Amino acid sequence: MITTRFAPSPTGRLHLGHAASAIRAHDFARARGGAFLLRIEDIDGTRSREEHVAGIVEDLAWLGLAWDGPVVRQSRRLALYDAALERLRTMGLLYRCFCTRADIAASLTAPHGPAGAVYPGTCRGADNAARMDRPHCWRIDIARAVDRTGPLTWHDAGAGIVAADPLAHGDVVLARKDAPASYHLAVTVDDAAQGVTDVVRGADLFAATHVHRLLQALLGLPTPAYHHHPLLADAAGRRLAKRDGAPSLADLRDGGMDGAALAAMLRAGAVPLGFRAARA
Ligand code: GLU
């Protein structure tokens, strides 16, 4: 069965971009008689807020979107991520990293990849015996992982067949110092565990798919089809972002907007006054 999901992080209220993305994922599944799931990505305990989880549920209901089954919370699925980490560890693909953000920023050799600075590999192959008790994260030795899987591809509705290039991301973090799993690991494990066949999400996550594809191959998980859609932008062409004061759905609701009318507008490819669709 075709299965899609909306997977927000409860680190703030949803805005118009989230609404457009949730509607796309919902409608994609419903048009095919499929299932639409809601997954709350709340593994980041320092930034996730319970009030935002309630807000997400309220906002989706306001838009008229209904999901199938219970709301899945990543914070309740840590054993699954642990098991995946253990498998990768057993394959000899993970290493402890003791570097702070400042250490990495100070490294003059740090090149840049699709998601910012690429980790320069300082702790790869280092002797850690004397510092095991210090806080550390776990990184994947991406070159070794790529050697193991060989070339990989994935299919994107817009870009077609894409050759995975996880090397450009460097040795990404799979388990953080302050959180039991990283976004990359949790999203890959969950999409497979929940039987997601089609990942419908914003173009800002296109690059992350290179890493997700690699993790799928390493963990023996199926690869969904990907549908990365353009993001909404404000009238000046800037991507809508909470930090730039983009109105939340709650703000629009409080201002008297009707949720069903807004959903209809977004489905028609229109956006409320002052906003427009960004170029892909
Ligand atoms: N939790 C991610 C976010 O809110 C989205 C995850 C995904 O769709 O893969 O940006």
Side-chain angles (χ1 to χ4, degrees):
M1 179 169 46
I2 294 291
T3 302
T4 63
R5 53 28 170 218
F6 178 53
S9 307
T11 53
R13 294 304 299 250
L14 300 184
H15 56 65
L16 277 175
H18 291 115
S21 192
I23 289 170
R24 279 179 190 260
H26 170 274
D27 290 3
F28 185 92
R30 294 293 183 239
R32 294 162 179 78
F36 170 66
L37 311 178
L38 174 59
R39 182 170 75 226
I40 303 292
E41 304 216 317
D42 58 350
I43 33 172
D44 186 340
T46 54
R47 294 176 61 226
S48 298
R49 297 271 176 279
E50 215 43 49
E51 72 208 64
H52 296 319
V53 177
I56 288 166
V57 166
E58 201 180 318
D59 291 344
L60 294 180
W62 178 67
L63 289 168
L65 301 183
W67 54 90
D68 296 297
V71 178
V72 164
R73 304 274 302 250
Q74 286 191 327
S75 57
R76 317 268 154 89
R77 299 164 67 80
L78 304 185
L80 280 175
Y81 314 139
D82 262 349
L85 279 172
E86 196 45 43
R87 269 185 79 176
L88 298 171
R89 228 178 254 128
T90 309
M91 293 178 201
L93 297 177
L94 302 190
Y95 64 89
R96 289 180 178 83
C97 171
F98 297 84
C99 294
T100 61
R101 272 178 213 278
D103 292 337
I104 297 170
S107 163
L108 293 175
T109 55
H112 272 66
V118 167
Y119 180 62
T122 321
C123 291
R124 194 192 315 122
D127 177 6
N128 296 320
R131 52 181 185 176
M132 291 299 232
D133 55 333
R134 283 185 25 208
H136 56 266
C137 66
W138 288 86
R139 290 184 182 272
I140 183 163
D141 181 335
I142 211 99
R144 187 179 283 194
V146 165
D147 273 352
R148 188 175 174 120
T149 64
L152 299 167
T153 59
W154 44 281
H155 189 266
D156 183 86
I161 296 187
V162 182
D165 182 20
L167 281 173
H169 289 256
D171 293 354
V172 292
V173 171
L174 292 193
R176 292 170 30 175
K177 286 177 196 171
D178 58 345
S182 72
Y183 159 69
H184 292 309
L185 185 74
V187 84
T188 303
V189 167
D190 281 344
D191 282 340
Q194 294 186 275
V196 171
T197 59
D198 293 81
V199 171
V200 180
R201 63 183 175 194
D204 53 332
L205 292 169
F206 183 95
T209 312
H210 294 294
V211 177
H212 303 170
R213 180 66 190 92
L214 176 72
L215 293 176
Q216 286 155 6
L218 294 170
L219 295 168
L221 303 175
T223 303
Y226 288 89
H227 308 255
H228 289 100
H229 58 75
L231 303 177
L232 292 188
D234 66 14
R238 283 179 315 230
R239 184 184 146 192
L240 288 188
K242 272 174 281 191
R243 62 179 171 277
D244 298 330
S248 66
L249 298 183
D251 293 335
L252 297 172
R253 178 163 65 243
D254 293 348
M257 193 175 274
D258 179 68
L262 173 62
M265 207 186 290
L266 291 169
R267 283 190 170 103
V271 278
L273 211 61
F275 302 97
R276 64 179 169 137
R279 281 188 296 274

